[in-house]
Amino acid sequence: KQEVTQIPAALSVPEGENLVLNCSFTDSAIYNLQWFRQDPGKGLTSLLLIQSSQREQTSGRLNASLDKSSGRSTLYIAASQPGDSATYLCAPCQYGNNRLAFGKGNQVVVIP
Amino acid sequence: GAVVSQHPSWVICKSGTSVKIECRSLDFQATTMFWYRQFPKQSLMLMATSNEGSKATYEQGVEKDKFLINHASLTLSTLTVTSAHPEDSSFYICSTLPGTKNIQYFGAGTRLSVL
């Protein structure tokens, strides 16, 4: 069974700082890995998807890296803004059955 | 990205009643849909995998007679929480999987509060 761990569980940073969110997973047999954003009481917003053959993916201020063999992914958010405050979820997609496994998330607060 | 509509977004009900949640794929046919549950401060946990035209596959520990899943068409799956109790209060969210891609698209979720 895939186990996903996200570190740190929570962090607060002043506006403008760069964010580094870490995700590790136990089973490297994955199709892809997605990073999501979840605001309190809301659903999921897909941020980035990295295919298993890719090393990184970028969208605006967001950059996600993937080291499949070691079971790690990192989400970088440059020049953080108060609007980036949310919980960020990492979800590897299991090879064969397309199941997503979720960690508990990185809860981010960006202080104006 | 694909559009997935989940309804209702919020429901409050009395203990013992049944609640139906709908998940619709609006712009593609979804052969597979997934249902997740999220308790406060916890991860999303997969409850079941729903395949069109066949019985759902439930995860260990999820009661199939309590959480009825129907996937009668390629664009609609429903989750019915039967005889709901306060411990069933949670955030339920669905996702759809197009036949052509290994990418899941999520609904906005349903917050269920059982009194």
Side-chain angles (χ1 to χ4, degrees):
Chain A
K1 179 185 175 185
Q2 181 77 275
E3 300 286 342
V4 180
T5 303
Q6 292 188 243
I7 295 172
L11 71 162
S12 294
V13 299
E15 183 177 359
E17 272 200 13
N18 297 330
L19 290 164
V20 180
L21 309 178
N22 296 298
C23 169
S24 61
F25 49 96
T26 55
D27 188 345
S28 61
I30 62 172
Y31 280 128
N32 56 56
L33 183 144
Q34 281 184 268
W35 280 92
F36 296 90
R37 169 185 172 137
Q38 186 176 30
D39 292 287
K42 303 292 185 182
L44 303 182
T45 301
S46 182
L47 298 174
L48 288 168
L49 179 141
I50 314 176
Q51 299 290 353
S52 61
S53 58
Q54 296 177 314
R55 297 285 291 183
E56 66 177 323
Q57 192 67 254
T58 298
S59 175
R61 293 185 294 112
L62 306 179
N63 175 277
S65 66
L66 174 65
D67 184 343
K68 194 178 78 141
S69 60
S70 66
R72 294 181 184 181
S73 179
T74 301
L75 178 67
Y76 302 90
I77 302 177
S80 61
Q81 302 170 356
D84 295 330
S85 299
T87 297
Y88 292 84
L89 299 170
C90 156
C93 179
Q94 202 68 30
Y95 183 81
N97 59 24
N98 287 299
R99 292 180 178 180
L100 292 182
F102 287 88
K104 289 188 177 180
N106 306 104
Q107 186 176 6
V108 172
V109 174
V110 180
I111 304 165
Chain B
V3 179
V4 179
S5 173
Q6 187 171 340
H7 179 79
S9 58
W10 189 28
V11 58
I12 301 174
C13 68
K14 292 182 179 179
S15 184
T17 60
S18 294
V19 175
K20 180 184 282 189
I21 302 170
E22 293 187 349
C23 180
R24 291 182 184 274
S25 173
L26 298 183
D27 55 359
F28 63 86
Q29 293 182 333
T31 54
T32 302
M33 291 187 177
F34 299 91
W35 287 96
Y36 297 84
R37 178 169 57 182
Q38 184 181 36
F39 292 108
K41 305 290 186 184
Q42 299 298 311
S43 314
L44 274 79
M45 297 299 296
L46 180 65
M47 298 176 66
T49 303
S50 167
N51 294 297
E52 186 267 337
S54 63
K55 290 184 180 180
T57 303
Y58 290 82
E59 296 299 299
Q60 191 173 7
V62 178
E63 299 174 56
K64 63 179 181 180
D65 294 330
K66 180 165 185 65
F67 299 99
L68 300 179
I69 291 173
N70 185 288
H71 192 161
S73 78
L74 287 171
T75 58
L76 174 64
S77 176
T78 60
L79 168 67
T80 301
V81 184
T82 61
S83 187
H85 291 286
E87 58 265 31
D88 298 322
S89 298
S90 187
F91 188 64
Y92 294 86
I93 190 165
C94 70
S95 71
T96 62
L97 185 69
T100 55
K101 296 181 181 179
N102 296 320
I103 303 172
Q104 290 186 32
Y105 298 94
F106 283 80
T110 298
R111 184 156 304 282
L112 172 63
S113 297
V114 185
L115 304 177

